[in-house]
Amino acid sequence: MPRRQDLPEPHVLAPLERQVIDFFVDGVRVLGLPPSLGEIYGLLYISRDPLSLDDVVHTLNISKGSASQGLRALKGLGAVREAITANGDRKTYYEAAVELKRLVGGFIREQIRPHLESGRTKLADLARTAETVSDPSRREFLDDRISRIDQWVRRGGQILPMIQKILGE
Amino acid sequence: MPRRQDLPEPHVLAPLERQVIDFFVDGVRVLGLPPSLGEIYGLLYISRDPLSLDDVVHTLNISKGSASQGLRALKGLGAVREAITANGDRKTYYEAAVELKRLVGGFIREQIRPHLESGRTKLADLARTAETVSDPSRREFLDDRISRIDQWVRRGGQILPMIQKILGE
DNA sequence: ATTTTTGTTCAAAAATGTTTGAACTTTCCG
DNA sequence: CGGAAAGTTCAAACATTTTTGAACAAAAAT
């Protein structure tokens, strides 16, 4: 019974596919993510059918380790999901999530919110440290600067839902 | 004086200043910028008076090269400006720009817009390549995926001015 | 006109981040 | 059970980015 994984095709990427993948490699670089994530996402994005980890490894010529870690990270970002595997196949197949809303949401949740969170914590520490400054003139200056950062963090927290709303329609 | 070469004694930073600097080091990492930019900006941000390149070098204990390049990059981002130099002094002094509007605007202009721009170009190339695909079914799929990316890029271009507007008040 | 001060440049070193691959675990199947 | 297939882990190899520092240039002071 011939199955997917029995086909020993070298699977050379067409120029178009390569172009799409490169597009996403550049895209994820802007977001500060490793190139392999861009490659994998790009490949899935331009594949009509879901692909297995093995498909990814062979098509992109990357290691199993990279593919495994990359797929996990993309799942975590909500950029890739497991496709429902219909037949009695024990591989899991992956497909790209293509809704901008989901992509942006995942990125904000995983990459931005945690930093905003820790920023808030550090800021609170900072304010506490500043309270121990005795010189009133210096103290006034510090209070201004710290409250300014506070304003920035606050604005950041406000604007994220707006971005999600605008991109999510 | 028996000092090690002409290496200057590093100025010791108060804990508060160190905390602020670290805050910005983390901040710029999120933006994909080198730590030295965060250090320099943080130092200027928490300094009441403008500082010279030499001040930056000695206080942060970084090389002159790093300080020079870092200050240039920060100027390019609009995050730092040259202060009006008191007469009789030929050093130039730098101060942090603290308006969120300016910071965000500079970052978008320098780091985001260029990528959006090149994204548009690559996308146009892609669309041209896709036109050569003959299989109608495959072609239909590709057209959908490509127009979807086009939509993303378009949305990105629309949302940037909104962000600037919201943060710029 | 020489030296000192101020700052820039860039090749190489150091630091950091990414990918690999071999060993390992888990699950399925006979 | 034992073996094979699928997937994970992580230390080391590799790649990229950042920082350094010595050489250089410009300009002011001596």
Side-chain angles (χ1 to χ4, degrees):
Chain A
M1 63 298 283
R3 285 210 195 139
R4 285 186 88 98
Q5 71 266 31
D6 296 329
L7 302 171
E9 242 173 296
H11 215 272
V12 169
L13 281 169
L16 179 86
E17 268 124 30
R18 196 64 250 175
Q19 257 180 290
V20 171
I21 290 167
D22 289 346
F23 182 90
F24 283 107
V25 168
D26 282 14
V28 301
R29 172 147 65 239
V30 175
L31 304 178
L33 301 172
S36 62
L37 292 202
E39 290 202 323
I40 297 169
Y41 182 81
L43 175 61
L44 294 175
Y45 184 85
I46 209 62
S47 292
R48 177 190 282 285
D49 303 311
L51 302 180
S52 69
L53 185 145
D54 236 46
D55 293 333
V56 170
V57 166
H58 293 135
T59 311
L60 295 176
N61 250 43
I62 63 177
S63 69
K64 224 151 57 111
S66 244
S68 174
Q69 291 172 184
L71 283 168
R72 171 160 32 144
L74 288 168
K75 263 194 295 182
L77 283 166
V80 151
R81 63 170 72 90
E82 297 186 6
I84 308 112
T85 161
N87 54 10
D89 193 337
R90 64 187 171 97
K91 280 184 189 147
T92 70
Y93 288 83
Y94 300 90
E95 62 190 0
V98 299
E99 314 83 31
L100 185 55
K101 178 171 153 181
R102 171 176 283 273
L103 297 173
V104 171
F107 184 76
I108 289 177
R109 173 172 33 77
E110 299 294 319
Q111 308 288 128
I112 303 193
R113 284 227 184 277
H115 285 288
L116 257 187
E117 235 13 86
S118 87
R120 270 192 249 271
T121 306
K122 292 222 183 77
L123 194 52
D125 295 349
L126 212 49
R128 222 169 304 116
T129 305
E131 279 174 14
T132 70
V133 172
S134 49
D135 174 28
S137 167
R138 173 76 177 152
R139 176 66 183 281
E140 191 185 7
F141 172 75
L142 291 177
D143 282 350
D144 171 73
R145 291 286 150 126
I146 289 173
S147 77
R148 203 179 275 277
I149 300 179
D150 190 60
Q151 195 67 2
W152 296 352
V153 173
R154 214 178 285 290
R155 287 269 174 93
Q158 285 176 331
I159 212 165
L160 292 184
M162 291 189 202
I163 292 174
Q164 294 197 54
K165 188 162 190 183
I166 293 167
L167 294 177
E169 71 202 19
Chain B
M1 193 181 180
R3 198 182 274 179
R4 279 176 300 179
Q5 301 296 342
D6 45 43
L7 289 178
E9 193 91 10
H11 181 284
V12 175
L13 283 168
L16 179 86
E17 268 122 31
R18 194 66 250 175
Q19 258 180 288
V20 172
I21 290 167
D22 289 346
F23 182 90
F24 283 108
V25 168
D26 282 14
V28 302
R29 175 151 60 242
V30 176
L31 304 178
L33 301 171
S36 62
L37 291 202
E39 290 202 323
I40 297 169
Y41 182 81
L43 174 62
L44 294 175
Y45 184 85
I46 209 62
S47 293
R48 179 192 279 286
D49 303 311
L51 302 179
S52 68
L53 186 143
D54 235 46
D55 294 333
V56 170
V57 166
H58 295 143
T59 312
L60 294 176
N61 219 22
I62 64 178
S63 69
K64 224 150 56 108
S66 245
S68 174
Q69 292 171 182
L71 283 168
R72 174 161 28 148
L74 288 168
K75 264 193 295 180
L77 284 166
V80 151
R81 62 169 74 90
E82 297 187 7
I84 307 112
T85 162
N87 55 16
D89 195 341
R90 64 191 171 90
K91 281 182 188 148
T92 68
Y93 288 82
Y94 300 90
E95 60 188 4
V98 299
E99 315 82 31
L100 186 56
K101 178 172 152 182
R102 172 176 282 275
L103 297 174
V104 171
F107 184 76
I108 289 177
R109 175 171 33 76
E110 300 293 320
Q111 307 290 130
I112 303 193
R113 285 228 185 275
H115 285 289
L116 257 187
E117 234 15 83
S118 89
R120 270 192 249 271
T121 305
K122 291 221 184 77
L123 193 53
D125 294 350
L126 211 51
R128 220 168 306 115
T129 305
E131 279 174 12
T132 71
V133 172
S134 49
D135 174 28
S137 166
R138 174 74 178 154
R139 175 68 184 279
E140 189 185 8
F141 172 75
L142 292 176
D143 283 350
D144 171 74
R145 291 285 150 127
I146 288 172
S147 76
R148 202 179 274 275
I149 300 178
D150 190 60
Q151 194 66 7
W152 296 353
V153 174
R154 214 180 283 290
R155 287 269 174 94
Q158 285 176 331
I159 212 164
L160 291 184
M162 291 188 201
I163 292 173
Q164 295 198 54
K165 189 162 189 180
I166 293 167
L167 296 178
E169 70 200 26

